[in-house]
Amino acid sequence: MPRLSLPALLAAAILMAGCTSTAYTPEPPTPTSTPTPMPSPALTPTPGPTGIPTPPPGTTPAPASADTPASTPEGSYDPNDTMWGIFSGLDQTFEDTQLALAGAVAANDVSQVPIIVEIMRYGGGLDLNEEYRQALLSLTGQDFWLNPPAWNAAMEWLGPRRDEFPPPDGYLDWKVNILGIIDPRMAAFFTSVPGSERIDLTEAVWGGVRTDGIPDLQSAPTLSPDEADYLDPRDRVFGVSINGEHRAYPLRIMNPHEMANDVLGGEPIALAY
């Protein structure tokens, strides 16, 4: 039976700054051999790599209600049961999700809209995406697949309407379960860091990289401007000046690292890109 998978998406911000007096030593040329790919996250995108790795130690288990049908023979309905029915773990089946989505539509449970929008970014194949599409069409009147990528279109539409579509009250546990499958440290952040309870978790979206998956620069060596002959005149740099000490961080070197930790003018700094 088809199984759900989780994705690999990465967002980056572009920033420019002026030149200054020193620059980093260029890194060695990239080997011509194919680099070793990063481990595939616990859930994979559509399109994207497939394969589901074993959940890491410390993954938050789904509560017992995850196996409870979205609606009972007695006719009672629990939004939390439906939420866990839509996705509860790596052993999720297409039939489980299909049943839960049908229950949400039958109950007109709009609290499942942010749940469906979030989990659909992790893919699952054409059949499963069609189930998401029909459920969202019934609950919102919107066909997000008319403006691909559907997940981005749904997120943009849902953003200013979050008050109209609050998730079930057990959403924190559900969210932590997903993040814990990817990396237990991400789950711990939302359950142990002071102040994290003030975060709207529906707006906290995994960026596609495991914790510390991109190595930062740590006090990298520098060159004088005359020695930095690997730079072209039009190359962009991040220029930083603190207490009379100046440094240029070339964009081409910052780009694969996204962060530089350094000491400049006697002050510790962190440059994020």
Side-chain angles (χ1 to χ4, degrees), residues 75-106:
S76 62
Y77 178 86
D78 186 341
N80 287 302
D81 288 345
T82 300
M83 174 176 63
W84 284 97
I86 291 173
F87 182 81
S88 60
L90 298 180
D91 58 350
Q92 183 81 17
T93 67
F94 175 82
E95 288 76 12
D96 290 339
T97 302
Q98 187 179 44
L99 177 63
L101 291 172
V105 170

Short mmCIF file of all heavy atoms in Angstrom, two decimals, residues 75-106:
data_model
loop_
_atom_site.label_atom_id
_atom_site.label_comp_id
_atom_site.label_asym_id
_atom_site.label_seq_id
_atom_site.Cartn_x
_atom_site.Cartn_y
_atom_site.Cartn_z
N GLY A 75 -21.33 7.90 15.92
CA GLY A 75 -21.58 9.19 15.28
C GLY A 75 -20.80 10.33 15.89
O GLY A 75 -20.92 11.47 15.43
N SER A 76 -20.04 10.07 16.97
CA SER A 76 -19.24 11.13 17.57
C SER A 76 -18.05 11.43 16.67
O SER A 76 -17.63 10.60 15.88
CB SER A 76 -18.77 10.73 18.97
OG SER A 76 -17.95 9.58 18.90
N TYR A 77 -17.51 12.62 16.82
CA TYR A 77 -16.41 13.04 15.95
C TYR A 77 -15.39 13.80 16.78
O TYR A 77 -15.75 14.70 17.55
CB TYR A 77 -16.94 13.92 14.82
CG TYR A 77 -15.86 14.43 13.89
CD1 TYR A 77 -15.43 13.66 12.82
CD2 TYR A 77 -15.26 15.66 14.11
CE1 TYR A 77 -14.42 14.12 11.97
CE2 TYR A 77 -14.26 16.13 13.28
CZ TYR A 77 -13.84 15.36 12.21
OH TYR A 77 -12.85 15.81 11.39
N ASP A 78 -14.13 13.47 16.62
CA ASP A 78 -13.05 14.13 17.35
C ASP A 78 -12.04 14.67 16.35
O ASP A 78 -11.39 13.89 15.65
CB ASP A 78 -12.38 13.14 18.30
CG ASP A 78 -11.33 13.81 19.20
OD1 ASP A 78 -10.87 14.91 18.86
OD2 ASP A 78 -10.99 13.22 20.24
N PRO A 79 -11.89 16.00 16.24
CA PRO A 79 -10.92 16.57 15.29
C PRO A 79 -9.50 16.08 15.52
O PRO A 79 -8.73 15.94 14.56
CB PRO A 79 -11.04 18.08 15.53
CG PRO A 79 -12.42 18.27 16.07
CD PRO A 79 -12.67 17.04 16.91
N ASN A 80 -9.13 15.82 16.78
CA ASN A 80 -7.77 15.33 17.04
C ASN A 80 -7.57 13.94 16.47
O ASN A 80 -6.50 13.63 15.92
CB ASN A 80 -7.49 15.34 18.55
CG ASN A 80 -7.30 16.74 19.08
OD1 ASN A 80 -6.43 17.49 18.64
ND2 ASN A 80 -8.14 17.13 20.04
N ASP A 81 -8.58 13.08 16.58
CA ASP A 81 -8.48 11.75 15.99
C ASP A 81 -8.32 11.84 14.47
O ASP A 81 -7.54 11.11 13.86
CB ASP A 81 -9.72 10.91 16.32
CG ASP A 81 -9.76 10.47 17.78
OD1 ASP A 81 -8.71 10.56 18.44
OD2 ASP A 81 -10.83 10.06 18.24
N THR A 82 -9.06 12.76 13.87
CA THR A 82 -8.98 12.92 12.43
C THR A 82 -7.60 13.43 12.02
O THR A 82 -7.02 12.97 11.03
CB THR A 82 -10.06 13.91 11.95
OG1 THR A 82 -11.35 13.39 12.29
CG2 THR A 82 -9.97 14.12 10.45
N MET A 83 -7.07 14.37 12.78
CA MET A 83 -5.74 14.92 12.50
C MET A 83 -4.69 13.81 12.50
O MET A 83 -3.87 13.71 11.57
CB MET A 83 -5.39 15.99 13.54
CG MET A 83 -3.98 16.54 13.45
SD MET A 83 -3.72 17.87 14.66
CE MET A 83 -3.97 16.97 16.22
N TRP A 84 -4.71 12.95 13.52
CA TRP A 84 -3.76 11.85 13.58
C TRP A 84 -4.06 10.80 12.52
O TRP A 84 -3.17 10.07 12.07
CB TRP A 84 -3.77 11.22 14.96
CG TRP A 84 -3.04 12.06 15.98
CD1 TRP A 84 -3.59 12.94 16.87
CD2 TRP A 84 -1.64 12.11 16.19
NE1 TRP A 84 -2.60 13.53 17.61
CE2 TRP A 84 -1.40 13.04 17.22
CE3 TRP A 84 -0.55 11.46 15.60
CZ2 TRP A 84 -0.12 13.34 17.69
CZ3 TRP A 84 0.73 11.75 16.07
CH2 TRP A 84 0.93 12.67 17.09
N GLY A 85 -5.33 10.72 12.10
CA GLY A 85 -5.67 9.79 11.02
C GLY A 85 -5.11 10.25 9.69
O GLY A 85 -4.75 9.43 8.84
N ILE A 86 -5.00 11.56 9.49
CA ILE A 86 -4.42 12.09 8.25
C ILE A 86 -2.94 11.77 8.16
O ILE A 86 -2.43 11.39 7.12
CB ILE A 86 -4.67 13.61 8.16
CG1 ILE A 86 -6.17 13.87 7.95
CG2 ILE A 86 -3.86 14.24 7.03
CD1 ILE A 86 -6.56 15.34 8.02
N PHE A 87 -2.24 11.91 9.28
CA PHE A 87 -0.85 11.44 9.34
C PHE A 87 -0.46 11.19 10.78
O PHE A 87 -0.64 12.05 11.65
CB PHE A 87 0.12 12.46 8.74
CG PHE A 87 1.55 11.96 8.77
CD1 PHE A 87 2.00 11.10 7.80
CD2 PHE A 87 2.41 12.31 9.80
CE1 PHE A 87 3.29 10.59 7.83
CE2 PHE A 87 3.70 11.82 9.85
CZ PHE A 87 4.15 10.96 8.86
N SER A 88 0.09 9.99 11.04
CA SER A 88 0.51 9.65 12.39
C SER A 88 1.95 9.15 12.45
O SER A 88 2.54 9.15 13.52
CB SER A 88 -0.41 8.57 12.98
OG SER A 88 -0.39 7.40 12.17
N GLY A 89 2.53 8.72 11.33
CA GLY A 89 3.89 8.20 11.37
C GLY A 89 4.28 7.58 10.04
O GLY A 89 3.53 7.61 9.07
N LEU A 90 5.47 6.99 10.02
CA LEU A 90 6.02 6.45 8.78
C LEU A 90 5.32 5.18 8.32
O LEU A 90 5.53 4.75 7.19
CB LEU A 90 7.52 6.19 8.95
CG LEU A 90 8.37 7.43 9.25
CD1 LEU A 90 9.82 7.05 9.39
CD2 LEU A 90 8.18 8.49 8.18
N ASP A 91 4.51 4.61 9.17
CA ASP A 91 3.76 3.43 8.76
C ASP A 91 2.37 3.80 8.24
O ASP A 91 1.51 2.94 8.04
CB ASP A 91 3.64 2.43 9.91
CG ASP A 91 2.96 3.03 11.14
OD1 ASP A 91 2.75 4.28 11.17
OD2 ASP A 91 2.64 2.26 12.07
N GLN A 92 2.15 5.08 8.01
CA GLN A 92 0.86 5.56 7.52
C GLN A 92 0.51 4.90 6.18
O GLN A 92 1.36 4.75 5.31
CB GLN A 92 0.93 7.08 7.33
CG GLN A 92 -0.35 7.72 6.88
CD GLN A 92 -1.32 7.96 8.03
OE1 GLN A 92 -0.91 7.94 9.17
NE2 GLN A 92 -2.58 8.16 7.72
N THR A 93 -0.74 4.52 6.02
CA THR A 93 -1.19 3.94 4.76
C THR A 93 -2.14 4.89 4.05
O THR A 93 -2.74 5.79 4.65
CB THR A 93 -1.92 2.60 4.99
OG1 THR A 93 -3.15 2.85 5.68
CG2 THR A 93 -1.05 1.64 5.80
N PHE A 94 -2.27 4.68 2.75
CA PHE A 94 -3.17 5.48 1.94
C PHE A 94 -4.61 5.35 2.45
O PHE A 94 -5.35 6.34 2.52
CB PHE A 94 -3.08 5.01 0.48
CG PHE A 94 -4.06 5.68 -0.43
CD1 PHE A 94 -3.81 6.93 -0.97
CD2 PHE A 94 -5.25 5.03 -0.77
CE1 PHE A 94 -4.72 7.54 -1.82
CE2 PHE A 94 -6.16 5.63 -1.63
CZ PHE A 94 -5.90 6.89 -2.15
N GLU A 95 -5.00 4.14 2.82
CA GLU A 95 -6.36 3.92 3.28
C GLU A 95 -6.65 4.68 4.57
O GLU A 95 -7.76 5.21 4.75
CB GLU A 95 -6.61 2.42 3.48
CG GLU A 95 -6.71 1.62 2.19
CD GLU A 95 -5.35 1.37 1.55
OE1 GLU A 95 -4.31 1.60 2.21
OE2 GLU A 95 -5.33 0.94 0.37
N ASP A 96 -5.68 4.72 5.50
CA ASP A 96 -5.86 5.48 6.74
C ASP A 96 -6.12 6.95 6.45
O ASP A 96 -7.03 7.57 7.01
CB ASP A 96 -4.62 5.36 7.63
CG ASP A 96 -4.44 3.98 8.22
OD1 ASP A 96 -5.44 3.23 8.27
OD2 ASP A 96 -3.31 3.64 8.61
N THR A 97 -5.29 7.52 5.57
CA THR A 97 -5.44 8.92 5.23
C THR A 97 -6.74 9.18 4.50
O THR A 97 -7.45 10.17 4.77
CB THR A 97 -4.25 9.38 4.36
OG1 THR A 97 -3.04 9.15 5.07
CG2 THR A 97 -4.35 10.85 4.03
N GLN A 98 -7.08 8.32 3.59
CA GLN A 98 -8.32 8.47 2.82
C GLN A 98 -9.53 8.47 3.75
O GLN A 98 -10.45 9.30 3.60
CB GLN A 98 -8.42 7.33 1.81
CG GLN A 98 -9.56 7.45 0.82
CD GLN A 98 -9.55 6.29 -0.16
OE1 GLN A 98 -9.38 5.13 0.24
NE2 GLN A 98 -9.75 6.58 -1.44
N LEU A 99 -9.54 7.56 4.73
CA LEU A 99 -10.65 7.47 5.67
C LEU A 99 -10.75 8.74 6.52
O LEU A 99 -11.84 9.28 6.74
CB LEU A 99 -10.46 6.25 6.58
CG LEU A 99 -11.51 6.05 7.69
CD1 LEU A 99 -12.88 5.81 7.07
CD2 LEU A 99 -11.11 4.90 8.60
N ALA A 100 -9.60 9.24 6.98
CA ALA A 100 -9.60 10.44 7.82
C ALA A 100 -10.06 11.66 7.03
O ALA A 100 -10.83 12.49 7.54
CB ALA A 100 -8.21 10.67 8.39
N LEU A 101 -9.61 11.80 5.80
CA LEU A 101 -10.02 12.93 4.98
C LEU A 101 -11.53 12.89 4.71
O LEU A 101 -12.21 13.92 4.74
CB LEU A 101 -9.25 12.93 3.66
CG LEU A 101 -7.74 13.24 3.76
CD1 LEU A 101 -7.08 13.01 2.40
CD2 LEU A 101 -7.51 14.68 4.23
N ALA A 102 -12.04 11.69 4.45
CA ALA A 102 -13.48 11.55 4.22
C ALA A 102 -14.27 11.94 5.46
O ALA A 102 -15.33 12.59 5.39
CB ALA A 102 -13.82 10.12 3.81
N GLY A 103 -13.75 11.58 6.64
CA GLY A 103 -14.41 11.96 7.89
C GLY A 103 -14.42 13.46 8.10
O GLY A 103 -15.41 14.03 8.55
N ALA A 104 -13.30 14.13 7.77
CA ALA A 104 -13.22 15.58 7.91
C ALA A 104 -14.22 16.27 7.00
O ALA A 104 -14.90 17.23 7.41
CB ALA A 104 -11.81 16.06 7.60
N VAL A 105 -14.34 15.79 5.77
CA VAL A 105 -15.28 16.39 4.82
C VAL A 105 -16.72 16.16 5.28
O VAL A 105 -17.56 17.08 5.24
CB VAL A 105 -15.05 15.81 3.41
CG1 VAL A 105 -16.17 16.22 2.47
CG2 VAL A 105 -13.70 16.26 2.87
N ALA A 106 -17.02 14.95 5.74
CA ALA A 106 -18.38 14.64 6.18
C ALA A 106 -18.79 15.51 7.37
O ALA A 106 -19.95 15.90 7.49
CB ALA A 106 -18.48 13.16 6.55
#
